Amino acid sequence: DRNVLPLPGSLRGGAAAKVVGALLSRGLIAETTTDSRAKADTAQGRIWRNDEDGRAILLHITDAGLAAIGVEPESPDLAPTGADEAPSAEPPKDAPAEADPAPKARTPRTGTKQAKLIEMLRAEGGATIDEIVAALDWQAHTARGAMSGALKKKLGLTITSEKVEGRGRCYRIEDAS
């Protein structure tokens, strides 16, 4: 019957209203007013709310909503007029911005452990995990995580490593130039 209700038990109150509002504004679900005067009951969860005249309002998924979750509609959309239109190509003004695949260029603050790590990795010969651990008073897994997470993913730096005889595996920042 395309009824969206009941919502998951973890989605209640203001959170439920916010999620439903976002889905409505994107045309993924639609409100359907019925002639029934049954009161909205969270225990049964079939009626979303009541309008000012006391009529029950249900939530139904639209064809656009079905398409968004990868389901082929079996019958024409039963949503009210205007709600069955696919969302426009232009994102709504409250829609989150699309994820940028390229890392964001951020600049670390000076005087931090992260800045010291970058300085060590840019130095001639780079740095080993043991050297980083000793200089920054970190655990080895923290040093590796900082290089892969903060430096590579967040700052977009390219880190290379190579085995150096007598030192072990050395890491360094590859200059973009």
Side-chain angles (χ1 to χ4, degrees), residues 133-151:
V133 165
L136 300 178
D137 195 29
W138 279 351
Q139 296 289 320
H141 67 275
T142 305
R144 287 188 295 271
M147 285 190 286
S148 70
L151 303 187

Side-chain angles (χ1 to χ4, degrees), residues 4-174:
V4 175
L5 301 174
L7 296 174
S10 60
L11 194 59
R12 289 175 271 171
K18 197 165 202 162
V19 168
V20 168
L23 293 172
L24 284 167
S25 70
R26 288 172 176 79
L28 301 175
I29 64 173
E31 291 183 327
T32 305
T33 305
T34 66
D35 290 332
S36 169
R37 300 228 182 251
K39 294 283 183 205
D41 183 4
T42 55
Q44 287 184 341
R46 302 290 292 168
I47 299 172
W48 170 240
R49 64 184 182 90
N50 295 97
D51 68 5
E52 59 278 350
D53 295 327
R55 293 179 298 199
I57 297 178
L58 308 176
L59 294 176
H60 287 40
I61 190 165
T62 62
D63 285 341
L66 289 173
I69 60 172
V71 175
E72 186 82 21
E74 292 179 16
S75 61
D77 198 336
L78 303 174
T81 307
D84 59 351
E85 297 170 7
S88 66
E90 186 177 304
K93 60 184 170 214
D94 62 342
E98 288 189 28
D100 186 13
K104 291 182 173 67
R106 295 184 182 173
T107 316
R109 294 183 315 220
T110 57
T112 63
K113 288 185 177 185
Q114 186 181 72
K116 175 70 174 165
L117 174 61
I118 292 171
E119 179 185 320
M120 291 176 73
L121 295 175
R122 283 197 169 135
E124 185 70 31
T128 66
I129 292 291
D130 291 336
E131 293 167 352
I132 295 168
V133 165
L136 300 178
D137 195 29
W138 279 351
Q139 296 289 320
H141 67 275
T142 305
R144 287 188 295 271
M147 285 190 286
S148 70
L151 303 187
K152 282 185 175 181
K153 293 178 185 172
K154 290 190 178 172
L155 297 178
L157 300 174
T158 303
I159 299 176
T160 59
S161 74
E162 64 178 323
K163 280 195 173 181
V164 175
E165 192 158 331
R167 277 182 81 194
R169 183 155 302 275
C170 290
Y171 299 87
R172 65 178 52 107
I173 294 176
E174 190 175 285

